[in-house]
């Protein structure tokens, strides 16, 4: 109740005291009602007696609704027991004042975190009257605290599983860097105790490479006020007692905290292996680019060197074949000298290009089961003219059985021709060459024995040095000194090896060991030999073969036209560019395209792509005719649908055989069914 109004029974002093009490009550009421924090009076049973507006707003209840409830009604179930215990401790005198953080439940379902301070009011005799409570809303603070804890927990969790260090760096009042957080890999990264690095940010600088000290110290400099901050990528070297030199790198981002301070969140990891891998990849890319450039260079060299040889050898062959009855012996010998010299130069070019490709590791091989006897017979057949001219006898191969081998037929034939040629060239006058084949421990040995002068131990020690002819350059025997180098490398590429057995004065035996095939192999095709009947002029027949020849070199075109005069039924039109060839083909579709692969305006592959876009031309057979004799170029042409690949210098027999084959196809296509 309020103090009684003044009356005649109240003396003036009492009236003054009563007025003062009223003023004081009014001040307390105003403080209670206008307080920014929630305030309440709660009776001993926990029911609200008074509640100010701030508390009502905080908890989401009207004053009438709140006064009809007990504090337990709006307290989170998990916090009720603690609140009851606090009230009991104050009533028993165990606590003079109770403080806690607790949760209240709003009617809208939200939870309010509050800091609660409560004190028990007693009367003059010390009897409990009610609880006076101040309630401060700390929901936002709790949310920030929870987010901080979750962030710290995330950092801690990441620190355990993410390689490297996760760190948070701040600066003290003096601008000195310090770790506000650092994950648990300090010992692993810097071989320093975690506690030392937490205590002293600069402790890990003792591990930094001397040349990187200044850079790392700049990273630890406090930013100037108002400076524009951006994320930083960093990298430096450290020297560790157990691991030696390592490269560390990472990324850090600046964050402005609620108090305005700037901190850096970052990650540092060991990037030594990554940098080594990147360096290796860069080196591999450089090597690949260099290899591509080398291949292009070799392709160009092959083309540029073989193009003039095409005219030299081709016209020599043509002159010898077409004028056989019109040349005297001396003239025929002169023509043969031209042809032989051109063939020798072609062999040198092929050897040099092969050696370059082998050393670059990009010589394509087509390893398959094949017969050693077939390939050896082919090689002997190819070397026979050289042996006859030198007066050397090449005996029939001594073959133990027909066990197949696993090899690239073309490359093994090249190996055997080289070994047989050497056995002929470096033999005694009227000497002998004896090929032998036997099987030993799942390896097939193909030996070429000669009756030459043999090799000393010193000569054998230098036998496989490129361009070292071991003194043969002082003789009349032609050679480059790289043939045996190519032979050995080709055999090794086919999982084989070359063995040399020789004694000075007693001849030599060069043995090519190749793997034995696991399955029976079909016999290889018979060697292509110059067939006099094939090279002889044919009479015109009823079947015409219309050939469109794309060639930008006039001499090459003239040579082909002269050769094809031996086939009167072959009608040839010449286009001097890719565009002209396409226009002529659209005007009249040929039966066969003969395409140079390096035309002035486009390559043979580019012309092929355009031809395939023409419905009337896409199925016309295409044969490449190019001075680019690189094996990968030939494989690429076959993959793109070319039915053949003729190389320059021109093999007259091969061109005529190609024309005869396609003429027969046209004849069969036109036969009535």
């Amino acid at each position: 109740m309020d103090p009684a109004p003044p009356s005649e029974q109240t003396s003036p002093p009492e009236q003054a005291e009563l007025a003062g009490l009223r003023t004081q009550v009014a001040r307390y009421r105003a403080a209670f009602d206008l307080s920014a924090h929630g305030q309440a009076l709660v009776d001993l049973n926990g029911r609200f007696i008074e509640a100010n507006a701030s508390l009502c707003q905080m908890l989401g209840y009207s004053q009438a609704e709140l006064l009809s409830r007990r504090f337990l009604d709006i307290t989170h179930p998990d916090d009720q027991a603690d609140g009851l215990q606090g009230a009991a401790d104050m009533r028993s005198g165990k606590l003079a004042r109770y403080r806690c953080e607790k949760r209240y439940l709003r009617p809208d379902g939200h939870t309010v975190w509050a800091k609660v301070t409560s004190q028990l009011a007693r009367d003059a005799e010390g009897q409990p009257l009610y609880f006076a409570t101040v309630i401060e809303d700390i929901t936002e603070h709790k949310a920030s605290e929870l987010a901080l804890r979750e962030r710290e927990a995330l950092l801690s969790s990441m620190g355990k599983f993410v390689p490297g260090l996760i760190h948070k760096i701040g600066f003290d009042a003096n601008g000195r860097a310090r770790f506000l957080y650092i994950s648990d890999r300090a010992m692993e990264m810097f071989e320093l105790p975690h506690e030392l690095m937490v205590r002293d940010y600069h402790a890990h600088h003792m591990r930094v490479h001397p040349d990187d000290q200044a850079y790392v110290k700049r990273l630890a400099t406090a930013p100037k006020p108002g400076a524009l901050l951006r994320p930083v990528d960093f990298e430096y070297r450290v020297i560790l007692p157990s691991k030696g030199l390592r490269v560390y790198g990472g990324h850090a981002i600046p964050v402005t905290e609620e108090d305005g301070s700037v901190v850096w969140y970052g990650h540092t990891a060991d990037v030594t292996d990554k940098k080594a891998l990147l360096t290796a990849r860069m080196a591999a890319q450089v090597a690949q680019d260099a290899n591509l450039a080398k291949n292009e260079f070799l392709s160009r060299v092959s083309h540029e060197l073989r193009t003039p040889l095409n005219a030299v050898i081709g016209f020599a062959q043509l002159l010898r074949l077409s004028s056989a009855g019109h040349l005297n012996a001396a003239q025929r010998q002169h023509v043969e000298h031209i042809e032989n010299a051109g063939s020798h130069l072609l062999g040198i070019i092929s050897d040099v290009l092969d050696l370059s490709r082998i050393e670059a590791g990009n010589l394509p091989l087509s390893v398959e089961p094949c017969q050693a006897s077939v390939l050896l017979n082919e090689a002997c057949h190819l070397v026979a003219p050289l042996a006859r001219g030198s007066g050397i006898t090449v005996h029939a191969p001594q073959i133990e059985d027909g066990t197949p081998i696993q090899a690239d037929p073309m490359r093994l034939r090249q190996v055997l021709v080289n070994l047989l040629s050497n056995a002929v060239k470096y033999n005694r006058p009227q000497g002998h060459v004896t090929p032998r084949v036997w099987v030993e421990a799942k390896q097939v040995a193909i030996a070429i024995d000669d009756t030459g002068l043999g090799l000393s131990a010193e000569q054998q020690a230098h036998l496989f040095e490129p361009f070292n002819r071991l003194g043969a350059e002082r003789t009349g025997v032609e050679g480059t000194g790289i043939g045996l180098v190519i032979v050995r490398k080709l055999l090794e590429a086919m999982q084989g090896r070359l063995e040399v057995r020789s004694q000075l004065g007693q001849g030599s035996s060069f043995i090519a060991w190749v793997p034995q095939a696991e399955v029976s192999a079909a016999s290889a095709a018979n060697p292509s030999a110059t067939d006099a009947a094939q090279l002889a002029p044919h009479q015109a027949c009823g079947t015409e073969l219309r050939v469109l020849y794309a060639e930008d070199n006039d001499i090459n075109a003239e040579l082909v036209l002269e050769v094809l005069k031996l086939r009167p039924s072959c009608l040839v039109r010449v286009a001097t560019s890719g565009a002209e060839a396409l226009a002529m083909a659209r005007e009249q579709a040929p039966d066969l395209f003969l395409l140079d692969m390096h035309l002035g305006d486009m390559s043979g592959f580019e012309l092929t792509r355009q031809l395939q876009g023409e419905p009337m031309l896409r199925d016309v057979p295409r044969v490449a005719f190019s001075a680019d004799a690189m094996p990968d170029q030939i494989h690429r042409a076959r993959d793109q649908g070319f039915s053949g690949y003729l190389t320059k210098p021109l093999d007259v027999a091969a061109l005529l055989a190609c024309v005869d084959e396609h003429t027969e196809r046209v004849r069969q296509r036109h036969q009535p069914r």
Side-chain angles (χ1 to χ4, degrees), residues 348-560:
I348 294 175
I349 293 170
S350 298
D351 282 351
V352 171
L353 294 177
D354 276 350
L355 181 61
S356 298
R357 288 177 58 79
I358 291 171
E359 290 180 342
N362 59 3
L363 183 69
L365 294 173
S366 180
V367 177
E368 60 189 52
C370 51
Q371 289 288 347
S373 57
V374 173
L375 296 176
L376 185 54
N377 284 325
E378 290 178 355
C380 290
H381 178 84
L382 293 173
V383 176
L386 175 64
R388 285 194 298 269
S390 303
I392 303 298
T393 301
V394 178
H395 296 278
Q398 300 177 15
I399 301 176
E400 182 177 292
D401 56 34
T403 303
I405 57 175
Q406 193 76 12
D408 182 318
M410 182 183 72
R411 291 302 181 184
L412 185 56
R413 187 186 301 113
Q414 179 183 351
V415 165
L416 298 176
V417 168
N418 190 295
L419 295 179
L420 286 165
S421 299
N422 283 352
V424 170
K425 291 189 295 184
Y426 299 107
N427 215 316
R428 298 175 186 271
Q430 306 305 312
H432 297 264
V433 175
T434 304
R436 296 180 293 127
V437 179
W438 71 92
V439 179
E440 184 177 319
K442 295 187 177 180
Q443 292 280 307
V444 178
I446 307 174
I448 308 298
D449 303 334
D450 66 59
T451 58
L453 298 178
L455 299 167
S456 66
E458 182 180 358
Q459 287 177 314
Q460 292 183 50
H462 300 280
L463 190 59
F464 298 104
E465 294 177 358
F467 306 105
N468 187 346
R469 298 193 61 204
L470 306 178
E473 65 274 9
R474 295 187 293 273
T475 69
V477 179
E478 296 177 335
T480 60
I482 61 175
L484 285 178
V485 178
I486 295 174
V487 164
R488 186 171 72 168
K489 290 183 178 294
L490 284 175
L491 287 172
E492 290 173 350
M494 293 184 287
Q495 308 304 313
R497 60 187 174 90
L498 178 64
E499 181 184 354
V500 181
R501 301 174 184 175
S502 182
Q503 291 185 7
L504 196 60
Q506 298 184 21
S508 303
S509 178
F510 287 81
I511 307 171
W513 292 90
V514 291
Q516 181 180 2
E518 295 182 359
V519 296
S520 298
S523 298
N526 290 327
S528 59
T530 302
D531 186 354
Q534 186 184 62
L535 293 176
H538 287 193
Q539 298 296 322
C541 62
T543 302
E544 293 182 343
L545 179 71
R546 294 173 298 175
V547 178
L548 180 55
Y549 178 30
E551 174 61 74
D552 61 348
N553 185 292
D554 293 339
I555 296 178
N556 289 339
E558 181 183 351
L559 173 62
V560 170

Side-chain angles (χ1 to χ4, degrees), residues 51 111 195 213 216 270 303 329 380 455 480 558 625:
T111 299
E195 297 76 14
Q213 286 278 356
V216 172
D270 187 334
H303 181 269
C380 290
L455 299 167
T480 60
E558 181 183 351
F625 182 39

